[in-house]
Amino acid sequence: MRRVGTSPVQAERDDPAPPALLRLQRKNHLLVAVVLLFGLALHCVVTRSLPPPLIGSQLLASAFFALMGVGVGAGWVPLKWAGTSSGLVGMATFTVFVHLTGGPQSAYFPVFMAVPLVLAMFSPDSRLPTLAGGLASLGSAMIVNVLAQVPPSRMVLQAVNLSTFVGLALLGSSMYRRMLDAQRSAHQERLEALAQLAESERLRRHAERERAEVERLVLVGQLAAGVAHEVNNPLAYVKANLSHLLREGRGVDPDELMLVLAETQQGVLRIQQIVTDLRGFSRVGSLEENERGLVEEALSEASRLASVRLRDRGEVSLALEPGLPAVRLGQRHLVQVVLNLLLNAVDAVEMAMPGGLVRIRVRAWRVEEGVCLEVEDNGPGIPPEVLPRLFEPFFTTKPPGKGTGLGLALCREYVSRVGGSLHAENPPGGGARFVILLPAAR
Ligand code: ADP
């Protein structure tokens, strides 16, 4: 059996009116009833007369509105019908009132002109009430004129007058509608522009994440090749030493034994160092979305740790803009990155001028996207041939056993994972400068 559904329009039509609306309509109807009575009383007092037809018609109309109010409030009369019938009765009542108080000469006659204007004021978003009210007003005025046997020429002039008022009311409400439309479309355009902005921001973030991921994959590739090479070297001599000891057995000279064992231990330690550094790369995705680091604290901690190495051979000066926002890089990683830059700076100065004073200047200031950090030293700067390879894993110019070449690669990996950047340059005044851009924490 086919089920017959209710169309949305039908459902809307059958929906009962909300109680608040019913209460409001009841109040409106009762108010009209009271106003009619008040108007009648005022008229009688001012004209010092009690014309029975006027009193009778107004009492009737007042009773109609009172009953209609009660009916609407209780939900007995549908709102649609209440509106139409009240409009018609209201217009008829007023026509009778004007007719009984002097017809075209009545002091209330000009109110016919005001009806379309008032309706346009109360329903500016639709021209129907103004048009219907204007026509009703025109009809009522003509009835009053006919009853008073006004000459046709005067009636024509009055009709023209009234039509002008209807026209003005329609023009006013249409201008209001046009202004509203213009405002609405401007608002819509603003919303669309905002939505586009949000979308392009989303795409930018997405592209940024993808770029970081691609960079990471490239890094992992380079890493795999580097690891094999780096670990193979110490492994080769550890293996050779152990074979030598096994071959010679107990006949090895104790001094030589100590030397071979120390060399073997060095090799093992080197492998261990490489593995420790590599852990930084393997913790992919361990950076939490809501991790945050405090620049001021991280810089103080890193420079404190670096000063252990520096002792009295130099100084780290900090210049931070007050009130820096938290950054998206976690505190531990932030300290690690800065410390790495500081220790590299110490190494660079010490290697270039042994015994010379190390001067490192760290600056941090607020930028649009977050915080900019700068570490600058008084070393020899970065040779042009080294500059392009600086962030490659296992690239080092330090003597064997001193550097693994993983420090800067790791720093860049950490920073770019959170959408930041790290680059190096040689400032005109000498030395090397590392610039980190970190996005502010969310
Ligand atoms: P490592 O410190 O183990 O060598 P890094 O990745 O930290 O590995 O550094 C790679 C290379 O970058 C260093 O060997 C050095 O040649 C160069 N470098 C880093 N910092 C500086 C600096 N402040 N001044 C000059 N060269 C630097």
Coordinates of all heavy atoms in Angstrom, one line a residue, residues 19-33 65-74 79:
P19 N 1.8 29.7 20.7 CA 1.0 30.3 21.7 C 1.3 31.8 21.9 O 0.4 32.6 22.1 CB 1.3 29.5 23.0 CG 1.8 28.2 22.5 CD 2.5 28.5 21.1
A20 N 2.6 32.1 21.7 CA 3.0 33.5 21.9 C 2.3 34.4 20.9 O 1.9 35.5 21.2 CB 4.5 33.6 21.8
L21 N 2.2 33.9 19.7 CA 1.6 34.7 18.6 C 0.1 34.9 18.9 O -0.5 36.0 18.7 CB 1.8 34.0 17.3 CG 1.3 34.8 16.0 CD1 2.0 36.1 15.9 CD2 1.5 33.9 14.8
L22 N -0.5 33.8 19.4 CA -2.0 33.9 19.7 C -2.2 34.9 20.8 O -3.1 35.7 20.7 CB -2.5 32.5 20.1 CG -2.5 31.4 19.1 CD1 -3.0 30.1 19.6 CD2 -3.3 31.8 17.9
R23 N -1.3 34.9 21.8 CA -1.5 35.8 22.9 C -1.3 37.3 22.4 O -2.1 38.2 22.7 CB -0.4 35.6 24.0 CG -0.8 34.4 24.9 CD 0.0 34.5 26.2 NE 1.4 34.4 26.0 CZ 2.0 33.2 25.8 NH1 1.4 32.1 25.9 NH2 3.3 33.1 25.6
L24 N -0.4 37.5 21.5 CA -0.2 38.8 20.9 C -1.4 39.3 20.2 O -1.8 40.4 20.3 CB 1.1 38.8 20.0 CG 1.5 40.1 19.4 CD1 2.1 41.0 20.5 CD2 2.4 40.0 18.3
Q25 N -1.9 38.4 19.3 CA -3.1 38.8 18.5 C -4.3 39.1 19.4 O -5.1 40.0 19.1 CB -3.4 37.6 17.5 CG -2.4 37.5 16.4 CD -2.5 38.8 15.5 OE1 -3.2 39.7 15.7 NE2 -1.6 38.8 14.5
R26 N -4.5 38.3 20.5 CA -5.6 38.6 21.4 C -5.4 40.0 22.0 O -6.3 40.7 22.0 CB -5.6 37.5 22.5 CG -6.8 37.7 23.5 CD -6.7 36.7 24.6 NE -5.5 36.9 25.4 CZ -5.0 36.0 26.3 NH1 -5.7 34.9 26.5 NH2 -3.9 36.2 26.9
K27 N -4.2 40.2 22.4 CA -3.9 41.5 23.0 C -4.2 42.7 22.0 O -4.9 43.7 22.4 CB -2.4 41.6 23.4 CG -2.1 42.6 24.5 CD -0.7 42.4 25.0 CE 0.1 43.7 24.8 NZ 1.5 43.5 25.0
N28 N -3.8 42.5 20.7 CA -4.0 43.5 19.7 C -5.5 43.8 19.5 O -6.0 44.9 19.5 CB -3.4 43.1 18.4 CG -1.9 43.2 18.4 OD1 -1.4 43.8 19.3 ND2 -1.3 42.6 17.4
H29 N -6.3 42.7 19.4 CA -7.8 42.8 19.2 C -8.4 43.5 20.4 O -9.3 44.4 20.2 CB -8.4 41.4 19.0 CG -8.3 40.9 17.6 ND1 -7.1 40.3 17.2 CD2 -9.1 41.0 16.5 CE1 -7.3 40.0 15.9 NE2 -8.5 40.4 15.5
L30 N -8.0 43.1 21.6 CA -8.6 43.8 22.8 C -8.3 45.2 22.9 O -9.1 46.1 23.2 CB -8.2 43.0 24.1 CG -8.7 41.6 24.2 CD1 -8.2 40.9 25.5 CD2 -10.2 41.5 24.2
L31 N -7.0 45.5 22.4 CA -6.6 46.9 22.4 C -7.4 47.8 21.4 O -7.9 48.9 21.8 CB -5.1 47.0 22.0 CG -4.4 48.3 22.2 CD1 -4.2 48.5 23.7 CD2 -3.0 48.3 21.5
V32 N -7.7 47.2 20.3 CA -8.5 47.9 19.3 C -9.9 48.2 19.9 O -10.5 49.3 19.7 CB -8.7 47.1 18.0 CG1 -9.7 47.7 17.0 CG2 -7.3 47.0 17.3
A33 N -10.5 47.1 20.6 CA -11.8 47.3 21.2 C -11.8 48.5 22.2 O -12.7 49.3 22.2 CB -12.2 46.0 21.9
F65 N -14.5 43.2 18.2 CA -13.0 43.0 18.4 C -12.7 42.3 19.7 O -11.8 41.5 19.7 CB -12.3 44.4 18.3 CG -12.1 44.8 16.9 CD1 -12.9 45.8 16.3 CD2 -11.1 44.3 16.2 CE1 -12.6 46.2 15.0 CE2 -10.8 44.7 14.9 CZ -11.6 45.6 14.3
A66 N -13.5 42.6 20.7 CA -13.3 41.9 22.0 C -13.5 40.4 21.8 O -12.7 39.6 22.3 CB -14.2 42.5 23.1
L67 N -14.6 40.0 21.2 CA -14.9 38.6 21.0 C -13.9 37.9 20.1 O -13.4 36.8 20.4 CB -16.3 38.4 20.3 CG -17.5 38.6 21.3 CD1 -18.8 38.6 20.5 CD2 -17.5 37.5 22.3
M68 N -13.5 38.6 19.0 CA -12.5 38.1 18.1 C -11.2 37.9 18.9 O -10.5 36.9 18.7 CB -12.3 39.1 17.0 CG -11.4 38.5 15.8 SD -12.1 37.1 15.1 CE -12.9 37.7 13.7
G69 N -10.8 38.8 19.8 CA -9.6 38.6 20.6 C -9.7 37.4 21.4 O -8.7 36.6 21.4
V70 N -10.8 37.2 22.1 CA -10.9 36.0 22.9 C -10.9 34.7 22.0 O -10.2 33.8 22.4 CB -12.3 36.1 23.7 CG1 -12.5 34.8 24.4 CG2 -12.2 37.2 24.6
G71 N -11.5 34.8 20.9 CA -11.6 33.6 20.0 C -10.2 33.3 19.5 O -9.8 32.1 19.4
V72 N -9.5 34.3 19.1 CA -8.1 34.1 18.5 C -7.2 33.5 19.6 O -6.5 32.6 19.4 CB -7.5 35.4 17.9 CG1 -6.0 35.3 17.7 CG2 -8.2 35.8 16.7
G73 N -7.3 34.1 20.8 CA -6.4 33.7 21.9 C -6.7 32.3 22.3 O -5.7 31.5 22.6
A74 N -7.9 31.8 22.2 CA -8.2 30.4 22.6 C -8.0 29.5 21.4 O -8.1 28.3 21.6 CB -9.7 30.4 23.0
L79 N -6.0 32.3 12.6 CA -5.3 33.7 12.5 C -5.6 34.4 11.2 O -5.9 35.6 11.1 CB -3.8 33.5 12.7 CG -3.3 33.5 14.1 CD1 -1.8 33.4 14.2 CD2 -3.8 34.7 14.9

